[in-house]
Amino acid sequence: MVLKSTSASNVSVYQVSGTNVSRALPDWIAKKRKRTLKNDLEYQNRVELIQDFEFSEASNKIKVSRDGQYAMATGTYKPQIHVYDFANLSLKFDRHTDSENVDFLLLSDDWTKSVHLQNDRSIQFQNKGGLHYTTRIPKFGRSLAYNEINCDLYVGASEDELYRLNLEQGRFLNPFKLETKGVNHVSVDATHGLVAVGMEDSAVEFWDPRARSRVSILRLENQIDSSPFQVSTTSFRNDGLNFACGSTNGYVYLYDLRSSEPSIIKDQGYGFDIKKIIWLDGVGTENKILTSDKRIAKIWDTVDSKAYASMEPSVEINDVEHIPGTGMFFTANEGIPMHTYYIPNLGPSPPWCSFLDSITEELEEKPSDSVYSNYRFITKDDVRKLSISHLVGSNVLRAYMHGYFINTELFDKVSLIANPDAYKDEREREIRRRIEKERESRIRTSGVSKKSTIKINKSLAEKLSQKRGDKAAEKLLSDDRFKEMFENEEFQVNEDDYDYKQLNPVKSARETTEGAAKRIRALTAAEESDEERIALREGRADANDSSSDDESSSENEEEREQISRMEQKKLQKQQKVIERRKREKHNSDQFMSKMSVSALNDEEQESRKVTFGEQVREATEADSISKSDDSVVRRTHRGEAELTFIPKSFEVKKQQHRSPLKGSEDNEENPRDTGRSRPRSDGRRRASKNAFRGM
């Protein structure tokens, strides 16, 4: 099995189900295409964690029961409710409702009791048998919250009142009167029962349900972004001291309830409404929180706000749910399948899908794909130059630090549209780069060879100064370990050697290849004669030098002593090679002459004396003779063929068919003619009953 893995840091995030992960085909299609799907690796390696984990069009909300055995989700179209049984990894049942669901809560530890807020101002209570009771509220509802201590159900709506429905008494209580209109989200702290109400005027009101009065109002201020915003979501931590809220402009505020100043203000990065905040307590790491907008769900540290991991599906996110004590997350989104993510670093997989641990352990051994492997980073200036500022905030550009990530193929297309001469400019830059590279191979004088006194290997010192700089080269020359390399003549580098030219291409590549070819291949007769002349000249020069050396002064003797032993050995080797090749050539000539004399006979020698003109004349004469003949095919000396025939009557053809030789029965010149003038069956009894056939 294969899971899609993304890793923006060292934390691996596995997408178990959802779009672009596994193809879930209907049963009737799978049966019909059973033979073709047998060889389909993508279909064979799919992971179906929960069957039918999808809706017809989109999913709105998803929640996991407190016992961790069931999950309830709402979606459209048509409006319906799905309950999934984790023990069987399948859909338990589905129910249809009259209107679309806005928010819902699980009142019991399992799925048996739930309350649903619909977009037609109705509140439905569901149980095992189905719809239990329905009531209505004056305004359109937006959020639900339940206080288990006093059994109050809080309903936030578009009015300046927070509706209270007591489930023990079965009636509405006096609502909480708010300062402004518009309740976006309601949450209740399970530790001390404090109620937080997120308002449209960028404020959070805290109410005490015991005193039925307002405790405090928290005004949110954003010095980074001065545009007006609303409070979109709120969340309490289980410790009773920490509180978090999100705004509609993409910022998350973390507070200590003992202080009115936020401890951390975190920018989500996309500027969309914060839809969900989850405190990740009881996982493998501490001080982690999840914040989600419609584009991405990020996990980061509450101490230093450092990013930890992220989940970014290809569709918009509507809701996120975490299974407590594990590293698994569910997302309800604007797509047919709901997404499932698994992060092993946050915790193990749930007991009902423990096989995921073994799969991820095998995948951890292999390098995972980077989430930005096919993307290219561009800055805001590049976005302005490419004229794609209108794409900021869409799925095309991914915000990251001080710039964006864009698909590589899309970047190439956009850059080509913005600059049609990009290919031409790149070609000119490549030509200029190659010219500069060839110039670097040329010998240049450096400051090291001028300042310091170097006796031998000056070119090596110049190369060192070019690669490492003059200061580094001077330190190397002054080092006692390498000092003799530039002073002692025994360490002299022979630059005329063939091996040196291959390792150090000072000259052009053409010269080195020609030298290698001359060294490898055998010499021709002209080259051998040239070498013989050179050797003779060198011998004469040596004789003249020996005679002149006897008469010259001691200065010439010193110059002659400076000839290296290697050069003398080379001369000796060249002379031996020349003598050996002479002997081989002489032996081969003698052998070929003997073979040619014995092979040729007198007739072949005479035919060799025949000229080309005589051969043409003989061919034309043979052609003229063949023209007088009655032969059917005539060939010329050029290789052409002519087909001639004389039309004859039927009687002549019949006579020729009777006699295989030329002439007829009356031909006296051809006594061997044995042709018959009558058929053999003449005068004999016929086997056929039709006696008139032969008349």
Side-chain angles (χ1 to χ4, degrees):
M1 294 182 179
V2 178
L3 296 179
K4 184 179 179 182
S5 172
T6 57
S7 177
S9 58
N10 294 327
V11 180
S12 298
V13 180
Y14 296 96
Q15 185 175 349
V16 182
S17 64
T19 56
N20 301 326
V21 176
S22 62
R23 295 184 300 170
L25 298 179
D27 295 337
W28 61 274
I29 293 180
K31 292 178 181 178
K32 187 176 181 180
R33 300 174 53 193
K34 188 175 182 181
R35 293 183 179 179
T36 58
L37 294 173
K38 181 174 65 176
N39 299 325
D40 192 348
L41 295 177
E42 184 180 356
Y43 181 76
Q44 295 295 332
N45 294 332
R46 73 191 187 281
V47 178
E48 289 191 38
L49 187 64
I50 302 174
Q51 293 183 3
D52 299 327
F53 196 62
E54 60 184 18
F55 283 87
S56 302
E57 185 175 344
S59 51
N60 297 330
K61 295 286 183 178
I62 183 170
K63 285 181 173 56
V64 178
S65 60
R66 285 193 289 268
D67 58 2
Q69 298 298 324
Y70 302 95
M72 180 177 287
T74 60
T76 188
Y77 176 83
K78 298 179 180 180
Q80 50 190 312
I81 302 170
H82 288 184
V83 174
Y84 297 94
D85 187 1
F86 292 154
N88 297 320
L89 298 178
S90 62
L91 177 67
K92 188 176 182 65
F93 67 87
D94 59 342
R95 293 174 183 173
H96 290 263
T97 57
D98 296 334
S99 58
E100 190 173 346
N101 185 269
V102 177
D103 195 5
F104 75 93
L105 294 173
L106 292 173
L107 302 179
S108 60
D109 293 338
D110 54 4
W111 61 271
T112 53
K113 295 179 181 180
S114 61
V115 56
H116 299 264
L117 177 64
Q118 307 295 97
N119 63 355
D120 60 348
R121 298 188 295 111
S122 64
I123 300 175
Q124 292 185 359
F125 294 88
Q126 300 275 349
N127 59 9
K128 285 185 177 182
L131 179 60
H132 176 70
Y133 182 75
T134 302
T135 185
R136 297 177 68 86
I137 55 177
K139 299 294 181 179
F140 290 95
R142 297 179 180 178
S143 178
L144 286 177
Y146 180 65
N147 191 350
E148 296 180 353
I149 299 174
N150 55 10
C151 299
D152 281 348
L153 179 66
Y154 302 105
V155 183
S158 58
E159 193 59 34
D160 58 348
E161 293 179 345
L162 180 64
Y163 302 114
R164 295 191 301 154
L165 177 61
N166 190 275
L167 301 184
E168 184 180 6
Q169 301 177 16
R171 64 185 181 92
F172 280 97
L173 304 179
N174 292 331
F176 291 156
K177 191 68 175 177
L178 306 175
E179 280 194 354
T180 57
K181 293 184 178 181
V183 178
N184 290 329
H185 194 266
V186 183
S187 60
V188 179
D189 191 348
T191 304
H192 45 65
L194 194 65
V195 180
V197 184
M199 306 297 296
E200 291 183 355
D201 60 344
S202 66
V204 180
E205 295 189 13
F206 294 95
W207 286 75
D208 187 357
R210 296 171 296 179
R212 295 185 295 277
S213 62
R214 183 186 301 108
V215 177
S216 175
I217 299 177
L218 179 63
R219 303 286 181 182
L220 303 183
E221 294 181 0
N222 189 0
Q223 299 177 357
I224 302 173
D225 190 359
S226 60
S227 60
F229 60 92
Q230 303 176 12
V231 178
S232 58
T233 183
T234 58
S235 178
F236 285 98
R237 197 172 184 178
N238 291 330
D239 56 0
L241 295 176
N242 292 291
F243 172 76
C245 60
S247 63
T248 56
N249 57 357
Y251 287 90
V252 179
Y253 299 82
L254 299 186
Y255 286 92
D256 190 333
L257 293 178
R258 296 166 292 185
S259 174
S260 61
E261 295 296 328
S263 58
I264 290 177
I265 300 177
K266 175 72 173 179
D267 185 6
Q268 189 78 354
Y270 290 96
F272 300 127
D273 301 354
I274 303 298
K275 291 182 175 293
K276 193 66 174 291
I277 298 176
I278 301 175
W279 296 87
L280 299 178
D281 296 328
V283 295
T285 56
E286 297 180 355
N287 301 322
K288 294 295 183 293
I289 190 173
L290 181 143
T291 58
S292 171
D293 57 11
K294 69 177 184 179
R295 180 67 180 277
I296 190 172
K298 291 185 177 181
I299 300 174
W300 44 281
D301 199 321
T302 58
V303 178
D304 54 3
S305 71
K306 185 178 179 181
Y308 183 75
S310 63
M311 296 170 286
E312 188 172 4
S314 58
V315 292
E316 294 183 1
I317 301 174
N318 291 329
D319 191 18
V320 181
E321 180 67 10
H322 173 238
I323 300 178
T326 65
M328 182 166 287
F329 297 86
F330 294 142
T331 62
N333 41 259
E334 292 292 330
I336 294 177
M338 290 185 288
H339 289 62
T340 305
Y341 292 91
Y342 176 51
I343 305 176
N345 291 22
L346 289 179
S349 60
W352 47 270
C353 60
S354 58
F355 58 88
L356 283 179
D357 290 331
S358 59
I359 296 175
T360 54
E361 285 177 1
E362 295 177 359
L363 294 176
E364 287 293 337
E365 297 176 358
K366 303 177 182 179
S368 60
D369 298 332
S370 176
V371 70
Y372 301 123
S373 58
N374 297 325
Y375 286 80
R376 179 169 180 171
F377 181 78
I378 57 175
T379 60
K380 294 182 179 179
D381 296 334
D382 297 334
V383 172
R384 188 172 58 257
K385 290 178 182 178
L386 296 174
S387 301
I388 55 175
S389 302
H390 61 284
L391 297 177
V392 175
S394 62
N395 295 333
V396 177
L397 296 178
R398 301 188 178 193
Y400 185 77
M401 293 193 300
H402 61 284
Y404 304 92
F405 275 99
I406 187 173
N407 194 311
T408 306
E409 296 180 359
L410 180 61
F411 175 79
D412 295 338
K413 293 179 182 178
V414 173
S415 59
L416 185 60
I417 294 172
N419 186 13
D421 299 331
Y423 176 75
K424 184 178 179 181
D425 298 340
E426 182 64 25
R427 186 173 180 272
E428 292 178 356
R429 285 194 294 270
E430 184 66 23
I431 293 171
R432 199 179 300 111
R433 196 181 300 114
R434 292 186 180 182
I435 292 172
E436 293 294 336
K437 189 176 181 180
E438 291 180 359
R439 286 178 180 175
E440 289 178 358
S441 62
R442 299 178 182 176
I443 300 176
R444 299 176 183 176
T445 58
S446 59
V448 178
S449 60
K450 294 179 180 178
K451 295 178 182 179
S452 59
T453 58
I454 300 173
K455 296 181 180 180
I456 59 173
N457 297 331
K458 291 184 179 181
S459 61
L460 180 60
E462 291 174 358
K463 289 182 181 179
L464 291 174
S465 62
Q466 291 176 4
K467 290 182 179 180
R468 301 187 180 182
D470 295 340
K471 294 183 179 180
E474 288 179 0
K475 290 181 181 179
L476 187 63
L477 294 174
S478 60
D479 195 347
D480 295 336
R481 297 174 295 175
F482 309 103
K483 191 174 182 181
E484 293 184 358
M485 189 173 181
F486 303 96
E487 295 180 357
N488 193 353
E489 295 181 356
E490 294 181 357
F491 295 97
Q492 175 69 35
V493 178
N494 185 13
E495 296 183 357
D496 296 330
D497 190 18
Y498 174 77
D499 296 332
Y500 178 82
K501 290 179 181 179
Q502 292 294 319
L503 296 174
N504 303 282
V506 179
K507 297 182 180 180
S508 63
R510 184 176 180 182
E511 294 178 3
T512 55
T513 53
E514 288 179 356
K518 289 180 181 179
R519 181 182 178 127
I520 294 169
R521 67 179 176 83
L523 298 176
T524 60
E527 291 175 350
E528 288 179 355
S529 61
D530 292 338
E531 287 189 359
E532 290 176 3
R533 293 174 184 175
I534 293 168
L536 290 174
R537 288 177 184 175
E538 289 178 354
R540 291 175 183 175
D542 293 338
N544 294 330
D545 291 338
S546 61
S547 61
S548 62
D549 288 338
D550 295 336
E551 298 174 358
S552 61
S553 61
S554 60
E555 294 179 357
N556 295 331
E557 292 179 358
E558 292 178 357
E559 291 179 356
R560 225 179 335 104
E561 289 178 357
Q562 291 180 356
I563 298 174
S564 62
R565 296 178 182 178
M566 296 178 66
E567 293 179 356
Q568 293 178 1
K569 290 181 180 180
K570 284 184 179 180
L571 292 174
Q572 292 177 2
K573 288 182 179 179
Q574 289 178 0
Q575 290 178 359
K576 290 180 181 179
V577 171
I578 291 168
E579 292 176 359
R580 179 173 56 79
R581 287 176 178 169
K582 282 182 179 181
R583 290 194 301 270
E584 291 178 355
K585 186 178 181 182
H586 180 68
N587 295 333
S588 62
D589 291 340
Q590 289 181 355
F591 178 75
M592 292 300 294
S593 62
K594 291 179 182 180
M595 292 294 292
S596 61
V597 170
S598 61
L600 295 175
N601 51 16
D602 297 337
E603 294 179 358
E604 291 178 350
Q605 290 178 0
E606 289 178 358
S607 64
R608 284 189 177 185
K609 296 178 182 179
V610 179
T611 62
F612 180 72
E614 293 176 356
Q615 294 179 6
V616 173
R617 196 179 301 112
E618 292 176 0
T620 53
E621 291 176 358
D623 189 14
S624 62
I625 294 168
S626 63
K627 284 182 180 178
S628 62
D629 193 6
D630 293 335
S631 60
V632 178
V633 180
R634 294 196 299 273
R635 300 183 183 275
T636 61
H637 62 279
R638 297 180 181 178
E640 298 175 351
E642 295 180 358
L643 177 64
T644 59
F645 63 93
I646 299 173
K648 297 180 181 180
S649 63
F650 180 74
E651 295 294 334
V652 176
K653 292 181 180 179
K654 192 173 181 180
Q655 291 177 4
Q656 290 180 358
H657 179 70
R658 290 175 180 176
S659 58
L661 301 176
K662 291 183 180 180
S664 60
E665 295 178 354
D666 300 334
N667 192 0
E668 297 177 355
E669 296 178 358
N670 190 7
R672 296 182 181 180
D673 187 10
T674 58
R676 295 185 178 89
S677 60
R678 296 180 180 178
R680 293 181 177 180
S681 61
D682 191 12
R684 296 184 181 181
R685 187 176 180 181
R686 302 181 186 275
S688 175
K689 295 181 180 180
N690 191 356
F692 297 96
R693 180 176 293 178
M695 292 183 179

